[in-house]
Amino acid sequence: MATPILKAINALRTRGSNEDRPSPIGSLSGGFLTNSLSTTTGTAQERLNAMGSVGWLFAVVERISTAMAASEWQLYQIRRDEKVQLTDHPLLDLWQNPNPFYSQSEFLEDSSNHFELVGEMAWIIVRGMGGSIVELWPVRPDRIRPIPDKDDYISGYIYQVGKDEVPLETDDVVFTRRPNPTVPYRGIGQIQSVLNDIGSEQMAAAWQRNFFSNSALPGGLIEFDHSLSPHDFQRLVERWREQHQGVSNSHRIAILERGKWVERKYSQRDMQFRESRSLNRDTILGAWGFPHAMLGISEDVNLANAQAAELMFARWLIRPRLIRIRDKVNQTLVKQFGDD
């Protein structure tokens, strides 16, 4: 018999994305909090979708997540004030095989993706007979809603998929966040600080694509010293589209009838388009403190600063995130397997 948690997780796996109803982060019952999202920070759904629509954002998040997933973990037991490494333990088995559908690396990579995009990661604990922990599931953090409590800070969680809500005890959820300075129960991600820049990069890429697919501009204009009849104008437009519009017709020689060719000069705005896209890239990388060399960007890179970039990546990006997960696991998950 499937538990309510497993039913909700199964609903999450089988529900199509078109049926998703994103729940706003920070919208909690009891009047403790207001909605933490605005038009400037975007919804959680928009932040999660951004990874698949901006190449540099995808590269940053994917590189961090795969590095997190490649980490090696060890379990220790305290015996007479000494730490003894364990190689056979139910917790170690759970960590290496969180559930039937996720390997350890997939589990950590999925969790890391969520954390980089919304500043939160959430795991749901599934229990077997006797309350023992048998599975661990990463879920979208915007579907987890903390329930504030005046005495215990958080009295529990609500896991929501569409209109279905599943109440959860505090021991059934492992919720990790980058502390939000304005909403204490939720997290905050770097993506919120560069959402406008990400939008600019999306529009710049769309403009460039539309230029090659739809624009018929050959780098100049056709000028006539007299008015064209509607028939002549329509014939010129149709012929121009047929011969010059589209990538396959680019740079073809134009044959004009009684028209004068006027060279189209590149403006300062045209020449700065590439610089603008590079600025968007650097802004996205800067929000994460991500070294350029770790993405294969070879501008002003030599062996020394490439090695320094690798050290910075490991020390200031990966290690603090691993420490965050380790501390949360020790605080919430490990203690459920014993005090030692």
Side-chain angles (χ1 to χ4, degrees):
M1 179 68 67
T3 64
I5 297 175
L6 275 178
K7 288 181 180 179
I9 291 174
N10 287 332
L12 172 63
R13 292 204 305 264
T14 58
R15 186 183 296 271
S17 58
N18 293 333
E19 299 179 15
D20 288 346
R21 183 169 65 91
S23 55
I25 286 183
S27 179
L28 305 182
S29 61
F32 285 83
L33 299 180
T34 58
N35 192 338
S36 67
L37 298 180
S38 67
T39 55
T40 58
T41 59
T43 65
Q45 180 76 47
E46 290 171 339
R47 295 180 222 158
L48 292 169
N49 288 341
M51 181 179 176
S53 60
V54 178
W56 291 115
L57 177 62
F58 179 93
V60 168
V61 174
E62 191 271 344
R63 186 59 56 89
I64 292 175
S65 298
T66 53
M68 295 283 289
S71 59
E72 297 181 2
W73 292 80
Q74 297 173 343
L75 180 65
Y76 292 88
Q77 186 178 41
I78 300 175
R79 297 177 183 173
R80 298 180 181 178
D81 298 328
E82 294 183 1
K83 290 195 302 182
V84 179
Q85 183 177 351
L86 301 179
T87 58
D88 184 17
H89 193 275
L91 175 55
L92 202 58
D93 295 336
L94 176 71
W95 192 246
Q96 293 171 348
N97 297 282
N99 60 67
F101 294 91
Y102 279 77
S103 65
Q104 183 192 64
S105 59
E106 289 173 327
F107 175 83
L108 289 172
E109 188 169 353
D110 195 17
S111 303
S112 181
N113 285 342
H114 290 156
F115 187 80
E116 298 307 318
L117 294 171
V118 297
E120 299 173 350
M121 66 177 75
W123 308 334
I124 290 181
I125 294 173
V126 177
R127 302 181 186 276
M129 298 296 294
S132 61
I133 300 175
V134 295
E135 292 181 8
L136 199 59
W137 287 87
V139 295
R140 274 178 43 176
D142 58 315
R143 289 195 171 117
I144 291 288
R145 201 164 72 238
I147 305 301
D149 187 271
K150 293 182 179 179
D151 299 322
D152 298 328
Y153 192 67
I154 292 178
S155 60
Y157 296 87
I158 296 293
Y159 176 61
Q160 181 175 350
V161 181
K163 297 181 180 179
D164 300 326
E165 294 185 348
V166 179
L168 299 168
E169 301 291 336
T170 54
D171 286 344
D172 293 330
V173 176
V174 180
F175 187 78
T176 309
R177 63 189 177 89
R178 178 185 292 108
N180 190 321
T182 59
V183 186
Y185 295 91
R186 306 300 317 204
I188 186 171
Q190 292 98 328
I191 195 173
Q192 293 172 239
S193 67
V194 292
L195 209 60
N196 289 332
D197 302 277
I198 290 172
S200 298
E201 178 65 12
Q202 290 172 324
M203 289 186 287
W207 185 92
Q208 194 169 27
R209 179 180 183 276
N210 290 334
F211 173 83
F212 287 110
S213 62
N214 296 322
S215 177
L217 293 177
L221 305 172
I222 303 175
E223 186 179 277
F224 291 89
D225 57 3
H226 60 280
S227 298
L228 296 178
S229 67
H231 174 73
D232 290 339
F233 177 80
Q234 188 62 33
R235 186 180 64 173
L236 175 64
V237 169
E238 292 176 357
R239 182 177 298 177
W240 194 266
R241 286 176 177 170
E242 179 182 346
Q243 295 182 356
H244 299 284
Q245 187 171 357
V247 177
S248 60
N249 292 325
S250 60
H251 305 293
R252 291 186 63 180
I253 297 175
I255 301 176
L256 307 177
E257 298 178 12
R258 300 187 301 276
K260 178 183 177 182
W261 177 259
V262 179
E263 185 74 19
R264 178 176 178 265
K265 302 296 183 181
Y266 282 98
S267 66
Q268 188 74 8
R269 172 181 162 188
D270 295 325
M271 291 186 289
Q272 290 180 343
F273 184 76
R274 179 177 178 180
E275 286 75 8
S276 175
R277 297 205 65 178
S278 296
L279 179 61
N280 290 338
R281 178 201 70 188
D282 292 343
T283 302
I284 293 172
L285 269 59
W288 269 264
F290 201 98
H292 285 56
M294 291 299 298
L295 291 180
I297 302 174
S298 58
E299 302 167 2
D300 301 323
V301 173
N302 53 41
L303 179 60
N305 55 32
Q307 292 174 337
E310 186 175 355
L311 179 62
M312 291 171 56
F313 176 76
R315 177 177 293 176
W316 299 113
L317 285 178
I318 303 305
R319 185 173 184 271
R321 286 163 169 79
L322 292 174
I323 291 175
R324 189 191 302 270
I325 293 177
R326 182 200 65 188
D327 290 348
K328 181 60 68 171
V329 168
N330 284 334
Q331 179 191 45
T332 60
L333 188 62
V334 172
K335 70 177 184 180
Q336 300 193 46
F337 287 82
D339 296 333
D340 58 351

